Amino acid sequence: LSSSSAASDVYKRQVLDWPKQGFTLPPVSSAIEKVYLLADPTQQSLAFETNARGTHISLPPTAPDAVASVLCVKLAPTPPKATSNAPD
């Protein structure tokens, strides 16, 4: 996955050969909030299921682009780590 910007929690994955049985991403460190196609102006969420082997994404039967389509993977916000300013 490649990040669209340093401050963004949306990662993009280019798909060149459109799979008929969906697409599986390797495991990621954060929870996935939403997956959508970059070509979709409404950013309609695609169905996905996460398990220990990764995240399987259900894709439409036809690719939105004949050459290369892009999946956008939005990660859920990570809560800030607890900090303490108490003396040691």
Side-chain angles (χ1 to χ4, degrees), residues 18-73:
W18 199 251
K20 295 185 187 311
Q21 300 300 320
F23 186 81
T24 301
L25 293 172
V28 293
S29 58
S30 298
I32 294 176
E33 184 176 291
K34 180 179 181 177
V35 179
Y36 59 94
L37 292 165
L38 183 62
D40 181 359
T42 66
Q43 296 183 358
Q44 181 179 355
S45 186
L46 299 173
F48 65 92
E49 182 179 335
T50 301
N51 61 34
R53 294 182 296 170
T55 300
H56 183 77
I57 303 163
S58 298
L59 299 173
T62 352
D65 187 280
V67 177
S69 298
V70 178
L71 288 172
C72 296
V73 179

Side-chain angles (χ1 to χ4, degrees), residues 3-24:
S3 176
S4 55
S5 75
S8 175
D9 287 334
V10 176
Y11 293 83
K12 296 176 181 159
R13 173 67 182 197
Q14 187 176 29
V15 181
L16 300 175
D17 188 20
W18 199 251
K20 295 185 187 311
Q21 300 300 320
F23 186 81
T24 301

